[in-house]
Amino acid sequence: MDIRSAPECRDAVAAAVTTLESAVSRLRQAYGDTLGVRRLTSDVARLATDLEELGEPEPGRRGRIDGPLESIPDTPYDPSMWAGAEDEGLGAPDRHAP
């Protein structure tokens, strides 16, 4: 198992983002300014920005969970619970979209 410190992980991600930037640049040369290439460019830029904004880790800081986790059963809900409810985006059952 590969155990790295936070700075080593951050450096590895930065190297991967640099590789992605280079690869997307080559794709732009091959495919031109297509929607897919623009989306890839935007996604890689977002990764770079998020990495820059990450900052330094705070020792001992972990995500906080308030209270115990609640288990939700996989059994179906009682259908009467939904009686009279409208389907989101579809409107009431007696109305139809234009």
Side-chain angles (χ1 to χ4, degrees), residues 6-89:
E8 289 172 327
C9 289
R10 194 175 53 243
D11 291 344
V13 171
V17 169
T18 299
T19 301
L20 280 170
E21 288 170 336
S22 177
V24 170
S25 176
R26 287 191 301 271
L27 287 175
R28 181 179 297 280
Q29 292 172 357
Y31 288 88
D33 189 32
T34 65
L35 178 60
V37 171
R38 281 185 268 145
R39 285 181 176 166
L40 286 169
T41 302
S42 174
D43 291 344
V44 174
R46 172 72 185 267
L47 287 171
T49 300
D50 289 348
L51 185 60
E52 289 172 10
E53 291 177 355
L54 194 57
E56 294 298 320
E58 297 177 24
R61 181 177 168 97
R62 300 274 183 214
R64 190 175 63 150
I65 298 175
D66 294 330
L69 294 178
E70 185 173 333
S71 177
I72 300 174
D74 289 332
T75 56
Y77 290 108
D78 179 3
S80 67
M81 181 172 87
W82 306 107
E86 294 182 11
D87 289 326
E88 183 178 339

